[in-house]
Structures are given as structure tokens and as C-alpha cells.
Amino acid sequence: MTETILQLFRNCSRSVFALFIAILLFNQSATAAPDGKALFTSNCAACHNPLKDATGPALKDIDKTFPSKEWGYKWVNNSQALVTAGDKDAVAIFNKFNKIPMTAFPSLSHEDIDAILKYVDEFKDPNAKKPGTETPVEAKSNSSIYTWITLGLIVIAIGMWRLSSTLRKSANDKSGIPNYKDIPLGRNKVVIAMVVILGFIFVGYWITNGAINEGRQQNYQPVQPIFYSHKVHAGINQINCQYCHAGAEKSKQAMIPSVNVCMNCHKQINEYSGAADHPLVTTEGKTVNGTEEIKKLYAAAGWDPTAKAYIKDEKGNIKTQKVEWVKIHNLPDHVYFNHSQHVKVGKVQCQQCHGEITEMDEVYQFAPLSMGWCVNCHRQTGVQFDNGYYNNVYKKYHEEMKSGARTKVTVDDIGGTECQKCHY
Ligand code: HEC
Ligand code: HEC
Ligand code: HEC
Ligand code: HEC
Ligand code: HEC
Ligand code: HEC
């Protein structure tokens, strides 16, 4: 009788332990980013939302409307080729979206496209993921649930193990088998080893997670000293990004414009007349008076809008102050990132890394800026191999491209995932 109970308990504690390991593994795989998501974010998110029409249509379940699977691949690889060939479905979609051509993605394989479509089809509306919330809340509460379940299971496993050894002792007593000397829990080698290993796993996991997330702040959206809207400037009024961020093509830094750049236009424009068409509202829902915000610019510039002149002190100096914009994107000091390399040489669009800025009143950090994010894109993105920079190097790749054995040369192929390229 006691033997069977004993057996039962042994089995039980074993399966509890197995469950616990399974949860550990599941927890790990739950945090690993699926490929489809990364591909979608780096290639499609600038123009597509899974759920809402943006520049292009909402993509959730779009594959169910394709004339054929092949057609879908062709579309994503090069939609304009289909349109020019007169494919009637393609032409209809193109016309419906005001003839905005979609970027061609000749480098995406069928598996890549399947992964993207799977990701958008399974996409669920994460209401909590509003810009401004600094950490995705659901992910956090999820992982703490796992932690509690795990801790609970450990307690149960230890309890069962103790119970089973007590039972064994009494069973042995009954049948007259001499007991091993009872080793206290704290000195049992197996227990000590288990505790040390688990301790390592958990402490390691928490520390690396904490270190990785520290200073990384996707969706970060600080309040700026002047409510300056990118939507009003770069969107509605179509001002080129590089008018203000002139460094993006020429140097490492894109640079934030000085007050003088603002005043090129705002000596004339002293009020915001667009409130009827595009009212300005903060993420908290407060209405903003654009004209008052322009006055803040004047205060910083030292400009008198009634006299239409700069205010001068006794010595005749203009006292222009800097506007203390809060920096949103911050890479750690040990990382080297260069805008002109990406914008000029690599022809990467601002939107791929910064999101649809022309739709943002207040800018927020769109990309995670994690190492995985940089490296993923380098693995997937082709360099502009025939733009002259690579004429006299990588002979092998040139030959392979010519013979058709290779369709693209990725950043990875030219060494873009080597540690020292990104780390000082
Ligand atoms: C530069 C903006 C842009 C990017 C980037 C972009 N698309 Fe599009 N996409 C569009 C537009 C605009 C349309 C509507 C058709 C048109 O005007 O050509 C469209 C249409 C589509 C359609 C056809 C919809 C239908 O009705 O069948 C699919 C599928 C699609 N996109 C998938 C993707 C995928 C997958 C990616 C990323 C690999 C992507 N798009 C990236 C702009 C874009
Ligand atoms: C009229 C000037 C102007 C234009 C045009 C403009 N910006 Fe900006 N941009 C600013 C100012 C000022 C800031 C700092 C305040 C802020 O973050 O909103 C800024 C901030 C940014 C930031 C955040 C920088 C940080 O702190 O990390 C990004 C990214 C950005 N701009 C991208 C763009 C892109 C992309 C475009 C074109 C679609 C664009 N900007 C057009 C003036 C401009
Ligand atoms: C390949 C990705 C990528 C592309 C493309 C890109 N940026 Fe950036 N941008 C970044 C990263 C990463 C940072 C943070 C840099 C840092 O902290 O040193 C950044 C920072 C900025 C900043 C903050 C000031 C600065 O120079 O650090 C501005 C403004 C900005 N980008 C504007 C732009 C504009 C405008 C474009 C398009 C012309 C653009 N970016 C294209 C990745 C990109
Ligand atoms: C190339 C011209 C141009 C430049 C440069 C420019 N603006 Fe503007 N700004 C405009 C226009 C156009 C409007 C919209 C006026 C309207 O709709 O009546 C505007 C509106 C505004 C508004 C009211 C709407 C809002 O966004 O809150 C503010 C504040 C403002 N600008 C601040 C700035 C600042 C700060 C800079 C420099 C970083 C700057 N502007 C640079 C053209 C410019
Ligand atoms: C949207 C895609 C994309 C993202 C995201 C991206 N890169 Fe790149 N990167 C490129 C492309 C394309 C090139 C190739 C430019 C060229 O032809 O030299 C490149 C080139 C580079 C190079 C030069 C590599 C070499 O071998 O010469 C460095 C360094 C680099 N990137 C750093 C970064 C860092 C750091 C980040 C993240 C903060 C990042 N990149 C994010 C697309 C990207
Ligand atoms: C394409 C650019 C790129 C390449 C290549 C790259 N890294 Fe990184 N690395 C980054 C960025 C960006 C960060 C900052 C991540 C963050 O703040 O979360 C980083 C962070 C790190 C960190 C600090 C970890 C942390 O959480 O702060 C270490 C360590 C590191 N990288 C090691 C390496 C090693 C080793 C290699 C070569 C196998 C490598 N990196 C290659 C871009 C790169």
C-alpha cells in the first residue's frame, strides 16, 4: 500500500519537474522574436499596418484575396512589373490606391513572404501598445505569470520530494529495511546542485534581460519644449526631411536643426491656421494652440513678431537661445552608427528605421534599436551592389551575380555583421 502511494508520489514529482522544464523552455521561446515580424517591421511597416489601411491596404488576411499564391509572391517581389504587364487584378489595386507604387522587394524569398503573411494574418490588436507606454505591458505581466508558476512548481516539487522520502522512510521502517542516514535538505548534493543551476539560470536571465533593456526604450516619446509637429511640417506641408536634418546624407549624425533654420520660415509664418483641418492634440488628449507654440519659438529666437525684428541688447547683440529638444534615439556609446552610410550609400529610407514620421505630431522611437534589429536587417537587406562603391571589390560576388547564381549581396555578405563594424 505505502509502496504504491510512494510510487505515485515519485511519478508525480517527476512530472511536475518535467512540466517545470517545459515551462522554462516555453518561456524562452515565447520571448524569441518570430522572423515574420522582423521582416514585416523592417520592410513593410512603413506603409502597411496589419489592421488599418495606411499608405497601402491593411494586410491581415490579404492573402485570402490573392488570385493565386504565386500572384502574391510576384506582387511583393515587384508589383510594378505586374501592373505594367497589364495584370488586371494588379492594375485594379494600383488604381484603387491612387497609383502609389509599392516598393519592389526582389530579394524576399517565398519563405520570407509566407512568414510575413503568416505574421499579419495572426496579428491581434495590442490595444495596450499605444505610443508613449514605454514597455509593452502585456509582455511584462506574461513573464511574471511564468515566474510565479515556475516558483509554485518548484515549491510543489520540493514538497513532493520530501513527502516521498518521508513515506519511503516509514515504509522501510515497517518492512525492517535499514534507512540511509537522513541527509538534511540543505546538505543534499542533488538539491544543492539543482539550486545552484536554477539560480544561475534565473539570475543570468534576469540580469541579461535587464541589461539589454536598460537604455533601450522603444516607443519612447518625451514631451518636447515646443509642440513641434512633424505631421504639420513634413506631412501636410511636405517639407523635405533633409531641409532640417541636413546631416543625414552627409555625416554620421542626422542633426537637429537650429532655431535659425526654423526662423527661415517663421519670420513670415506667425500663426497656425491649420487647426480646423488638423487640430493639434497631445497623446494625453490635450488640445494645443499652434500659434502659442510658435510664440515659444519666437521667445527662444529673440524675435519680436510685432516689430518683425530680432530683439537686441544694449551692445546690439541678438540673444538667441537654444531650444532644448529632448533626444529620443539613444544608442549606447560603444555602438557606431552612421546615417550617411545608410541613407546615401545604402539608400535606406528614413521610414524604415523611424516609422511613418510624416504621420506623427510627436515623434516617438519606432524601432527597438537593439543589436538584433541592426543585425537582422543586415542579414536581409541587399547593398546597392552596382552603385560604384563595390566595382573593384568582391570579384566572386560580381561573377555570381552575372551568372545568376546569386540574386543579391546582403550587408552581411560584405561583413556587416562583424562585431568591429558596429562596436568601437
Ligand atoms: C512604400 C510603401 C510600401 C511598402 C514599403 C510596402 N507596400 Fe505593399 N502596398 C503599398 C501600396 C501603396 C499598395 C496599394 C497598391 C498600389 O498602389 O501599388 C500596396 C499593396 C500591397 C499588397 C496588395 C494588396 C491587395 O489588395 O492584394 C500586398 C499583398 C502588399 N502590399 C504587401 C506588402 C508587403 C508584404 C510588404 C513588405 C515586404 C509591402 N507591401 C511593403 C505600399 C507599400
Ligand atoms: C522643419 C524641420 C523638420 C523637418 C522638415 C523634419 N524634422 Fe525631424 N525633427 C525636427 C526637430 C526640431 C526635431 C526635434 C524635436 C522632436 O523630436 O520632435 C526633430 C526630431 C526628429 C527625430 C527624432 C530625433 C531624436 O531625438 O532622436 C527623427 C527620427 C526625425 N526628426 C526624423 C525626421 C524625418 C524622417 C523627417 C522627414 C519625413 C523629418 N524629421 C523632417 C525638425 C524637422
Ligand atoms: C538604418 C536605420 C536608419 C535610417 C535609414 C535613418 N536613421 Fe535616423 N537614426 C537611426 C539611429 C540608430 C539613430 C540613433 C543614433 C544615435 O543615437 O547615435 C538615429 C537618430 C536620428 C536622429 C537624432 C539625431 C541624430 O543625428 O542622432 C535624427 C534627427 C534622425 N535619425 C533623422 C533621420 C532622417 C531624417 C533619416 C532619413 C533621411 C534617417 N534618420 C534615416 C537610424 C536610422
Ligand atoms: C520650410 C518652412 C518651415 C520651417 C523651416 C519650419 N516651419 Fe514651422 N511651420 C511651417 C508651416 C507651413 C506651418 C503651418 C502653418 C499653418 O498651417 O498656418 C508651420 C507651423 C508651425 C507650428 C504650429 C504647428 C505645430 O507644429 O505645432 C509650430 C509650433 C512650428 N511651425 C514650429 C517650428 C519650429 C520649432 C521649427 C524649427 C525646428 C519650424 N517650425 C520650422 C513652416 C516651417
Ligand atoms: C533597415 C535596414 C538596416 C538597419 C535597421 C540597420 N542597417 Fe546598417 N546597413 C544597412 C545597409 C543597407 C548597409 C549597406 C550600406 C552600404 O552599401 O555600404 C548598412 C551598413 C552598415 C555598416 C557598414 C558595414 C560595412 O561592412 O561597411 C554599419 C557599421 C552599420 N550598417 C551599422 C548599423 C547599426 C549599428 C545599426 C543599428 C543601430 C544598423 N546598421 C541598422 C541597413 C540597415
Ligand atoms: C550591425 C551592428 C552590430 C553588430 C555587427 C554587432 N553589434 Fe553588438 N550591439 C549593437 C547594438 C546597436 C547594441 C546596443 C543594443 C542595446 O542597447 O540594446 C549592441 C550591444 C552589444 C553588447 C552589449 C549588450 C548590451 O545589452 O548592452 C555586446 C556585449 C555586444 N553588442 C557584442 C557584440 C559582438 C560580440 C558582436 C559580434 C559577434 C556584435 N556585438 C556585433 C550592434 C551590433
Side-chain angles (χ1 to χ4, degrees):
M1 178 60 194
T2 25
E3 257 323 298
T4 35
I5 296 181
L6 191 58
Q7 201 53 42
L8 200 76
F9 267 109
R10 279 217 192 106
N11 287 346
C12 249
S13 58
R14 217 169 280 154
S15 42
V16 168
F17 188 69
L19 193 61
F20 154 69
I21 294 289
I23 292 217
L24 248 188
L25 290 176
F26 182 67
N27 195 359
Q28 292 287 3
S29 65
T31 48
D35 227 10
K37 181 178 177 186
L39 283 166
F40 175 81
T41 318
S42 56
N43 295 305
C44 323
C47 302
H48 289 284
N49 181 298
L51 304 172
K52 286 183 301 209
D53 284 355
T55 311
L59 287 187
K60 191 179 167 87
D61 292 331
I62 197 99
D63 49 339
K64 316 223 154 72
T65 70
F66 291 166
S68 71
K69 225 175 148 105
E70 273 307 311
W71 184 94
Y73 297 142
K74 279 196 197 140
W75 174 279
V76 177
N77 285 149
N78 191 346
S79 69
Q80 282 301 299
L82 277 176
V83 173
T84 14
D87 179 284
K88 74 175 189 327
D89 298 296
V91 172
I93 298 164
F94 184 54
N95 289 339
K96 188 171 154 210
F97 279 84
N98 305 320
K99 308 197 172 183
I100 304 170
M102 173 172 138
T103 323
F105 295 94
S107 55
L108 289 180
S109 68
H110 290 185
E111 293 77 49
D112 291 343
I113 296 170
D114 287 339
I116 295 172
L117 294 172
K118 183 160 178 285
Y119 167 71
V120 291
D121 285 354
E122 287 169 1
F123 188 85
K124 290 196 195 66
D125 193 359
N127 283 323
K129 214 186 135 213
K130 226 178 114 239
T133 38
E134 282 167 26
T135 35
V137 184
E138 15 151 16
K140 221 177 188 171
S141 61
N142 242 352
S143 69
S144 73
I145 287 176
Y146 285 129
T147 310
W148 285 116
I149 295 178
T150 316
L151 286 177
L153 287 175
I154 293 178
V155 170
I156 295 174
I158 291 179
M160 293 231 168
W161 176 76
R162 296 230 49 176
L163 205 60
S164 101
S165 62
T166 323
L167 279 174
R168 180 180 33 179
K169 226 169 84 182
S170 68
N172 287 353
D173 281 346
K174 249 193 196 144
S175 40
I177 303 169
N179 265 313
Y180 297 110
K181 201 167 147 248
D182 205 11
I183 307 166
L185 194 57
R187 290 198 359 231
N188 184 310
K189 281 192 187 133
V190 181
V191 173
I192 293 173
M194 282 259 294
V195 168
V196 170
I197 291 172
L198 287 179
F200 261 118
I201 293 176
F202 277 106
V203 172
Y205 185 71
W206 275 320
I207 287 183
T208 38
N209 236 5
I212 288 168
N213 288 329
E214 181 164 333
R216 212 206 261 169
Q217 19 194 358
Q218 192 167 16
N219 293 335
Y220 178 47
Q221 186 181 45
V223 174
Q224 299 289 357
I226 298 177
F227 189 93
Y228 162 84
S229 162
H230 274 75
K231 178 158 186 176
V232 169
H233 290 83
I236 296 166
N237 287 292
Q238 304 270 317
I239 304 168
N240 192 307
C241 308
Q242 310 214 4
Y243 185 93
C244 293
H245 301 297
E249 262 211 341
K250 290 179 250 171
S251 63
K252 180 173 176 298
Q253 302 272 313
M255 293 188 294
I256 301 293
S258 70
V259 172
N260 291 334
V261 176
C262 311
M263 291 306 288
N264 286 345
C265 296
H266 282 286
K267 280 181 191 164
Q268 311 302 331
I269 302 168
N270 57 14
E271 55 177 31
Y272 178 57
S273 61
D277 297 326
H278 179 63
L280 301 170
V281 187
T282 66
T283 10
E284 281 82 43
K286 267 197 277 170
T287 320
V288 175
N289 180 333
T291 305
E292 290 303 314
E293 298 301 313
I294 295 176
K295 285 191 185 140
K296 290 187 194 164
L297 170 63
Y298 290 160
W303 174 260
D304 180 347
T306 19
K308 288 206 175 290
Y310 282 107
I311 303 159
K312 292 187 178 150
D313 64 10
E314 311 84 60
K315 290 185 199 132
N317 296 325
I318 304 167
K319 35 180 205 337
T320 297
Q321 288 156 357
K322 252 177 89 178
V323 178
E324 300 292 340
W325 303 108
V326 184
K327 200 164 184 319
I328 300 166
H329 297 77
N330 294 291
L331 281 175
D333 289 341
H334 57 80
V335 179
Y336 174 81
F337 177 84
N338 186 319
H339 268 94
S340 73
Q341 177 129 40
H342 289 86
V343 174
K344 183 113 192 288
V345 185
K347 302 253 181 305
V348 186
Q349 299 292 315
C350 315
Q351 280 83 343
Q352 286 214 7
C353 299
H354 294 301
E356 206 45 84
I357 294 266
T358 54
E359 290 295 320
M360 297 179 198
D361 280 324
E362 296 168 272
V363 177
Y364 62 89
Q365 184 179 317
F366 167 81
L369 299 199
S370 63
M371 179 159 138
W373 175 72
C374 312
V375 170
N376 260 344
C377 186
H378 285 186
R379 292 215 178 102
Q380 285 154 9
T381 311
V383 297
Q384 308 287 315
F385 200 55
D386 45 13
N387 68 358
Y389 283 86
Y390 301 108
N391 277 355
N392 302 317
V393 281
Y394 303 114
K395 219 171 174 167
K396 182 162 152 276
Y397 294 156
H398 281 291
E399 279 161 12
E400 288 173 3
M401 292 284 273
K402 229 181 240 156
S403 73
R406 168 186 280 280
T407 52
K408 69 169 172 181
V409 177
T410 64
V411 187
D412 187 10
D413 292 330
I414 62 159
T417 55
E418 284 161 19
C419 315
Q420 79 280 6
K421 287 275 171 70
C422 302
H423 291 290
Y424 290 108

